[in-house]
Amino acid sequence: MEEKKNLSQKEISRRSFLKGAGIASVGAVIATTASVDIKADTKNDSDVIGKNGISCEFDVNGKKYAQKVPPRTTLAELLREDLNLTGTKVVCDRGACGACTVIVDGKSVCSCMTLAIDSAGKKIETIEGLANGDELHPLQEAFVNHDALQCGFCTPGMVMSCKNLLDHNAQPTLPEVRKAVSGNLCRCGTYPHVFKAVMDVSGKKGE
Amino acid sequence: MAKEVKLHIGVENDLEEIKVTIPDDSPKPWDGKDKLKFVGGKTPRLDGKEKVTGNAKYTFDMKLSGTLHAKFFRLPCPSAVVTKIDTSAAEKAPGVKGIVLVQETLPLTVRYADQELLAIAAETAHQVDEALKLVKVEYEKRPFVVDLAGAQKSDAPEVFQGKFERDKEVGQIEVDEDNAGQRRGNVRAPQDYTKGGTKEEIEQFIEKSEFSVSATYQTQVQTHSALETHGVVANWEGDHLTVWASTQGTFSVLGELAQVLKIPQTNVRVITDYMGGGFGAKFGAGPFGIAAAKLAKKTGRPVKLMFSRREEHVSGGNRPSSMQTLKIATNKSGKLEALSLVSRGSAGISTGAGTSAPAKGIYECPKIYTQDADVFTNAGPSKAFRAPGHPQGIFALEQSIDDLAYKIGMDPLEFRKINTMNHDVRQKEYQIGAEKFAWHKRNPKVNADKGPIKTGMGMANSVWYYFYGVGYQATIKVNGDGSVELLNGTQDIGTGSRTAMAVVAAEELGLKPHDIVVRIGDTKLGFGPPSGGSQTTAGITPAVRDAAYLAKNKMLEIAATHLNATAQELDIRDGVIFVTSDPTRKLSWKKVASKIPGGTFSVMGERKKDHIDIKGAPAVHFLGRNFYTIGGMQFAEVEVDTETGVIKVKRILAIHDCGRPINRLTLQSQLNGGIIQGVSYALFEQRVIDRNHGLQVNPNLEQYKIAGSMDIPEIETIVLDTNRGNSSTGAQGIGEPATAPVAAAIANAVYHAIGVRIRDLPMTPAKVLEALHS
């Protein structure tokens, strides 16, 4: 019971959302979450599962956004459509390609597979938040210098996956870099330069 | 007026002096003795910063105020006649603003599953999804066939009953006009080519030959799977249409829109600022562009229509399948004597499945017979795909060439060498490749390792052609503050064309590439090349250099009056204009710019026909003309696990020629990409259509397998310095040659490792195990 309570208060992932929906009264599980986590302005349960917007507060790149989002809205949709942060790309729309990768509370996630309401109140980092004004993040700088991009469509997701790696492991080995971007598809085939860029920025020589 | 100049041309350091006549308004072509500062160096992309910060706006990211979202209704039936379409309920659905039919008159024939019937525009994408569910269609199902072998049977359902209607696009391989009279069922009129004898003579010759091989090869359908799908945003202002398109050809989209919508070309503008990947499938406006433009007209609002991932697979284009029967004969000393290739392939409801070009274009062979024929199937239309026909053709040709070498006991590299004596670049490439790859360490015996994991080395030749168009117009504008703008309508699809143009202009102007503001991807900026056929750099850079040459001369003339010298006595370097005999007499670029009469000037360079034909390599007949052949080759080392059947590509060495390389940094990226796409094609990718239902079962990116970071071999690339003196920059293409020989090189390495051939792509573990145990 203890565990369940923690889960409902802290972290309702899409999976547990679906699990909850399947076994119990749909409203009960979600309404608890909504009222605790996302400051829902709803008075009864049915509002949270419908098509109407729920008021949430989002922390994206350190900036606060108050936004009404329908529960079915994905984090990718929120970022791209509502907040106009179009750096995050949607390519496969089912978590297979990593183009939509953003970092939520220190973990890289596919924003196409994450509900916006589940990200409310959490620290969301997107590609737009990396540079400090005009000054690029060292990883971005290395991507440019090593030409770790071609068409550039996978680049935001690729950079975010690499950033997440370096956040947790400042000096990764080449196999660790390969693994870190193994969920990021690049159709231009630009991987060798991505490896080089990450190894360079971590102070190690690449391939 | 024309002038005569001396040039030093050739491959690497093997230079000869020639005299060439060039127009007065063109600079002396860069040759083998020119020491250049940026051209041939490594310049980071001008737009790199925009791409790594997420600021680059792709068509997918475009948002005009009031934009409607549109999607197609597609019929999930591979063959049908639609008799009624009822959109009355959909029209009333929340948010719906407009519906257009792809074909106004019924009945409508559906020839592949998920063919588009109509498009709906609504306020939000979710509203479109809801409305699509309300469309009612009445249709009569027809028999269908989706597989290449089945479609050739005499009792196969006919995909086209009556006339074949071509989906005509720039970049689409056009074999001929369809001749319904000669089409048999689904098999189009075969295209025959003969050299040195009739078909019968050549086949009999091979039959009787002591040293010959005969084998059948199969290759799969590969989808382009660009990460940004096909799509547009269309917006009308009065009778003027502006379209943002994810395209490889801004001008081909413009042309198609104007033609189909019956409006003057002056009223259409196409913009492609950033573009998320194009490998041959994105040239036309397409049904999506037309539908979006019509919806925008109808609703008076901007309309955005982008394919979903599923649509991209089923309708966005693909590389045709092939089944090739190849017979080749040689004499005892290893000279090729005769070759016969009969090829069938399916481009779905489209055409362009021919694979014979490599068989005609790589080896010196006195007797050649080839026959290509497209076979229609009830599947989505193929589009040109990075080196159309070549990965397929080379997969077959280079394995058979290998077979023959083993048969007569000759080293496969040596065998290739003595049959391509007429290609100067290729001869050098064999030498460099053998040395770099340590070919001599390769065990001449196949299947020599004890196992279970066995290693093997193989190689394959590539071939492509020198293509370029003429009439492209590059404009250079020099402003009073010294800033320089370079304008052209072509697009940068990720190849780095934007940066290559800046590199060329900077070299000529004595500035840095990042000093040049390049504005491209907009048809208002002057005619530019499509990114297809590996011709963008070859097409546009001479025009850029000519424009920069004119701008430089103008600046020198202005400076001359202030330096008490003649323009001929001046030169320009690192942003300084100086008297050659006395460099202390100088003025900065900015200072001279401030003295431009009127404050600013523009000059235009035009891509003209090459000064001279390229010599040193044979020309081949391809697509109705003769083209110089670009040589290249790749070496592969693989590990094959004989217990699991898994092939691991350990390393690839690629040696290529692209004339004069402009930017070696982006060139390297493009080579890596071509190789990785080739590895992916060789081992993983395959569109799978259920034979019983006619639907693609893997229209996504988890079951349609594409090579990822764990599959990337160690890659080494070598690009020769080739100076031909043909144009002012001497650039040729690389995009396509890089991907053409990969699968064949891997297949030859697999044979070397395990002693059995995999003649069927992709080379999956199951096929490897089957081959090992049969």
Side-chain angles (χ1 to χ4, degrees):
Chain A
M1 284 308 285
E2 183 65 24
E3 197 190 324
K4 199 177 172 187
K5 197 178 166 194
N6 284 342
L7 184 69
S8 65
Q9 285 183 351
K10 280 191 180 163
E11 199 176 80
I12 292 280
S13 65
R14 188 182 193 180
R15 196 165 153 221
S16 58
F17 166 86
L18 293 171
K19 245 162 76 185
I23 50 166
S25 104
V26 179
V29 178
I30 303 158
T32 329
T33 328
S35 60
V36 173
D37 260 342
I38 56 180
K39 301 178 187 74
D41 63 352
T42 52
K43 288 193 184 67
N44 59 59
D45 304 345
S46 59
D47 290 346
V48 193
I49 57 164
K51 292 177 186 173
N52 298 328
I54 300 171
S55 294
C56 298
E57 202 172 82
F58 297 97
D59 174 349
V60 184
N61 302 322
K63 207 171 152 191
K64 300 273 193 286
Y65 297 87
Q67 198 73 30
K68 263 192 160 189
V69 291
R72 68 175 171 186
T73 310
T74 64
L75 178 55
E77 285 172 337
L78 171 85
L79 294 169
R80 291 182 50 84
E81 305 300 327
D82 299 332
L83 309 186
N84 207 18
L85 296 170
T86 55
T88 301
K89 301 291 185 265
V90 176
V91 167
C92 71
D93 209 12
R94 51 201 285 170
C97 76
C100 64
T101 303
V102 299
I103 300 175
V104 178
D105 275 355
K107 280 185 188 164
S108 61
V109 301
C110 285
S111 61
C112 78
M113 296 284 284
T114 306
L115 290 176
I117 56 170
D118 282 342
S119 318
K122 296 180 182 173
K123 204 169 167 289
I124 302 164
E125 295 170 65
T126 74
I127 189 71
E128 287 90 351
L130 251 60
N132 183 7
D134 224 23
E135 194 189 321
L136 293 181
H137 184 282
L139 185 60
Q140 291 173 311
E141 189 108 40
F143 262 66
V144 174
N145 291 337
H146 289 282
D147 204 43
L149 51 94
Q150 290 181 55
C151 82
F153 214 69
C154 75
T155 309
M158 196 73 86
V159 170
M160 292 313 282
S161 288
C162 295
K163 195 223 175 224
N164 187 57
L165 167 72
L166 294 174
D167 283 351
H168 297 97
N169 177 3
Q171 293 218 307
T173 60
L174 183 58
E176 285 170 335
V177 176
R178 279 182 185 252
K179 200 175 167 205
V181 295
S182 60
N184 291 81
L185 271 184
C186 169
R187 188 47 160 166
C188 300
T190 217
Y191 302 99
H193 286 177
V194 172
F195 305 156
K196 265 191 179 176
V198 180
M199 296 308 277
D200 183 23
V201 84
S202 71
K204 289 188 186 175
K205 280 242 152 74
E207 277 189 333
Chain B
M1 285 291 282
K3 56 190 175 193
E4 196 179 64
V5 294
K6 270 189 218 165
L7 295 179
H8 301 90
I9 64 165
V11 183
E12 300 275 279
N13 293 324
D14 279 351
L15 300 175
E16 58 164 322
E17 191 179 292
I18 60 161
K19 281 181 186 164
V20 178
T21 306
I22 61 169
D24 252 349
D25 55 355
S26 280
K28 177 185 87 71
W30 288 319
D31 72 6
K33 293 211 165 164
D34 278 313
K35 298 274 173 270
L36 304 178
K37 192 159 181 181
F38 298 108
V39 169
K42 294 188 168 187
T43 301
R45 277 167 211 267
L46 263 59
D47 51 9
K49 190 174 176 181
E50 303 305 305
K51 288 180 177 176
V52 297
T53 52
N55 289 335
K57 292 274 182 242
Y58 296 77
T59 301
F60 182 59
D61 304 326
M62 277 307 299
K63 270 189 191 174
L64 302 177
S65 126
T67 298
L68 298 174
H69 296 263
K71 290 183 190 182
F72 275 126
F73 176 90
R74 295 177 178 275
L75 193 69
C77 177
S79 182
V81 175
V82 174
T83 50
K84 195 180 170 195
I85 299 176
D86 178 4
T87 59
S88 55
E91 276 159 31
K92 291 183 202 119
V96 170
K97 296 291 166 191
I99 296 180
V100 293
L101 298 176
V102 171
Q103 183 185 309
E104 300 281 345
T105 52
L106 297 179
L108 178 161
T109 309
V110 168
R111 293 198 171 88
Y112 70 96
D114 288 323
Q115 186 175 318
E116 63 278 342
L117 296 189
L118 57 96
I120 300 181
E123 297 285 354
T124 72
H126 286 302
Q127 286 172 335
V128 182
D129 289 336
E130 301 295 335
L132 285 170
K133 293 176 195 162
L134 303 173
V135 173
K136 292 191 190 76
V137 176
E138 284 175 24
Y139 58 99
E140 180 197 318
K141 286 186 185 176
R142 281 192 173 176
F144 61 89
V145 60
V146 295
D147 66 302
L148 177 58
Q152 296 177 63
K153 289 181 182 157
S154 58
D155 60 346
E158 264 197 292
V159 176
F160 285 93
Q161 297 173 344
K163 202 167 167 283
F164 161 58
E165 286 158 36
R166 185 187 299 272
D167 172 21
K168 201 167 180 178
E169 270 194 7
V170 177
Q172 183 95 12
I173 297 291
E174 298 263 339
V175 181
D176 68 339
E177 283 307 311
D178 187 54
N179 187 333
Q182 288 181 34
R183 170 154 50 94
R184 285 171 182 270
N186 293 314
V187 184
R188 287 187 79 205
Q191 301 298 300
D192 281 15
Y193 168 91
T194 53
K195 184 175 105 176
T198 63
K199 170 194 172 182
E200 288 73 22
E201 286 164 358
I202 292 168
E203 294 205 321
Q204 273 174 23
F205 181 92
I206 298 172
E207 193 97 343
K208 287 183 191 154
S209 170
E210 196 180 337
F211 303 103
S212 70
V213 291
S214 169
T216 299
Y217 298 86
Q218 284 187 69
T219 66
Q220 80 281 37
V221 172
Q222 177 190 26
T223 68
H224 298 69
S225 294
L227 293 195
E228 182 181 34
T229 56
H230 284 74
V232 298
V233 176
N235 186 39
W236 290 88
E237 283 167 304
D239 55 2
H240 282 65
L241 172 67
T242 301
V243 167
W244 286 261
S246 179
T247 185
Q248 298 173 243
T250 46
F251 292 94
S252 44
V253 173
L254 182 150
E256 192 180 333
L257 285 169
Q259 194 184 355
V260 176
L261 300 172
K262 297 188 174 65
I263 53 174
Q265 294 196 350
T266 50
N267 291 21
V268 186
R269 178 182 182 189
V270 177
I271 299 173
T272 305
D273 208 3
Y274 289 92
M275 198 278 209
F279 307 100
K282 292 177 174 175
F283 286 103
F288 51 94
I290 306 296
K294 285 183 176 171
L295 282 168
K297 186 87 183 170
K298 199 168 180 176
T299 60
R301 303 260 296 266
V303 169
K304 182 174 187 175
L305 198 166
M306 301 290 300
F307 276 5
S308 66
R309 181 52 45 192
R310 177 190 177 82
E311 290 177 293
E312 191 66 18
H313 278 292
V314 300
S315 183
N318 55 66
R319 182 187 298 286
S321 61
S322 78
M323 189 181 285
Q324 307 167 56
T325 300
L326 182 60
K327 300 172 190 167
I328 318 183
T330 175
N331 67 19
K332 211 179 347 184
S333 58
K335 285 296 273 181
L336 289 177
E337 293 193 315
L339 179 156
S340 155
L341 168 68
V342 175
S343 174
R344 297 287 180 271
S346 182
I349 60 160
S350 185
T351 60
T355 64
S356 64
K360 293 179 277 199
I362 299 179
Y363 295 104
E364 294 157 45
C365 182
K367 294 179 171 50
I368 296 179
Y369 167 67
T370 67
Q371 184 188 70
D372 288 303
D374 280 294
V375 180
F376 291 121
T377 51
N378 291 104
S382 292
K383 294 278 161 71
F385 195 159
R386 209 167 186 172
H390 286 62
Q392 303 99 295
I394 292 175
F395 179 69
L397 176 70
E398 285 297 77
Q399 287 212 70
S400 280
I401 289 286
D402 236 45
D403 267 348
L404 261 184
Y406 285 112
K407 191 155 194 167
I408 59 166
M410 192 181 266
D411 179 284
L413 185 65
E414 187 59 28
F415 185 56
R416 288 177 169 89
K417 211 171 186 174
I418 63 170
N419 285 293
T420 50
M421 295 301 282
N422 59 2
H423 201 302
D424 59 354
V425 173
R426 231 182 253 294
Q427 288 299 319
K428 278 210 160 40
E429 288 172 336
Y430 290 123
Q431 202 182 330
I432 298 168
E435 205 180 299
K436 281 270 175 194
F437 205 68
W439 186 259
H440 63 280
K441 286 190 185 160
R442 172 182 176 274
N443 193 328
K445 282 193 185 133
V446 302
N447 195 19
D449 286 357
K450 285 211 176 83
I453 294 175
K454 304 186 180 203
T455 60
M457 281 160 79
M459 62 89 59
N461 268 314
S462 168
V463 66
W464 195 244
Y465 319 91
Y466 172 51
F467 293 131
Y468 70 92
V470 295
Y472 307 133
Q473 300 159 340
T475 300
I476 285 188
K477 190 177 168 207
V478 182
N479 299 310
D481 62 355
S483 59
V484 179
E485 289 169 85
L486 169 54
L487 317 173
N488 181 260
T490 193
Q491 56 292 313
D492 186 340
I493 64 170
T495 56
S497 55
R498 192 187 309 254
T499 312
M501 289 165 71
V503 165
V504 167
E507 186 75 50
E508 187 67 25
L509 293 172
L511 300 171
K512 294 188 187 106
H514 285 251
D515 292 337
I516 314 287
V517 175
V518 183
R519 299 192 201 285
I520 56 169
D522 183 343
T523 51
K524 288 272 185 257
L525 299 175
F527 185 43
S531 297
S534 299
Q535 60 171 306
T536 319
T537 311
I540 194 61
T541 56
V544 171
R545 186 168 177 220
D546 283 16
Y549 175 74
L550 297 175
K552 175 174 124 178
N553 287 346
K554 221 162 170 127
M555 288 294 276
L556 295 186
E557 275 165 30
I558 297 164
T561 58
H562 299 277
L563 288 167
N564 293 324
T566 64
Q568 289 71 33
E569 292 171 316
L570 302 182
D571 203 355
I572 179 168
R573 201 176 301 148
D574 300 331
V576 175
I577 295 169
F578 58 94
V579 180
T580 333
S581 58
D582 179 8
T584 58
R585 286 164 62 200
K586 60 183 180 183
L587 282 173
S588 73
W589 170 272
K590 277 194 172 178
K591 188 86 186 165
V592 178
S594 72
K595 298 180 185 303
I596 296 171
T600 176
F601 71 81
S602 290
V603 285
M604 197 190 78
E606 190 180 298
R607 179 57 158 112
K608 303 175 194 80
K609 200 172 164 293
D610 274 3
H611 309 312
I612 48 168
D613 289 335
I614 298 177
K615 294 193 174 63
V620 297
H621 198 70
F622 184 56
L623 300 177
R625 275 170 62 197
N626 276 329
F627 293 96
Y628 159 77
T629 55
I630 298 175
M633 61 191 57
Q634 293 181 9
F635 294 74
E637 185 181 327
V638 300
E639 273 179 7
V640 185
D641 187 328
T642 52
E643 288 177 350
T644 64
V646 170
I647 297 168
K648 176 97 186 153
V649 183
K650 299 295 289 177
R651 70 184 170 122
I652 299 272
L653 169 68
I655 306 160
H656 287 279
D657 164 36
C658 60
R660 174 181 283 280
I662 303 296
N663 184 359
R664 284 183 181 269
L665 184 61
T666 51
L667 171 62
Q668 170 89 56
S669 288
Q670 217 180 338
L671 282 163
N672 287 345
I675 293 161
I676 289 166
Q677 258 182 21
V679 170
S680 196
Y681 176 65
L683 302 182
F684 308 118
E685 294 184 41
Q686 183 165 24
R687 182 193 70 185
V688 181
I689 295 187
D690 184 316
R691 205 182 305 134
N692 300 312
H693 300 102
L695 300 169
Q696 184 181 349
V697 299
N698 58 348
N700 49 51
L701 290 178
E702 68 268 27
Q703 287 148 323
Y704 184 89
K705 302 283 184 198
I706 293 174
S709 63
M710 307 302 271
D711 310 306
I712 309 305
E714 187 189 309
I715 295 172
E716 190 183 352
T717 61
I718 295 168
V719 177
L720 299 188
D721 246 322
T722 309
N723 287 280
R724 302 294 195 182
N726 53 307
S727 74
S728 64
T729 62
Q732 299 168 19
I734 197 64
E736 286 164 299
T739 209
V742 191
I746 293 170
N748 286 338
V750 168
Y751 174 72
H752 182 234
I754 61 175
V756 283
R757 289 218 172 259
I758 315 292
R759 300 183 202 266
D760 186 0
L761 285 176
M763 294 179 274
T764 59
K767 287 179 196 165
V768 172
L769 291 178
E770 197 185 323
L772 280 168
H773 294 105
S774 64

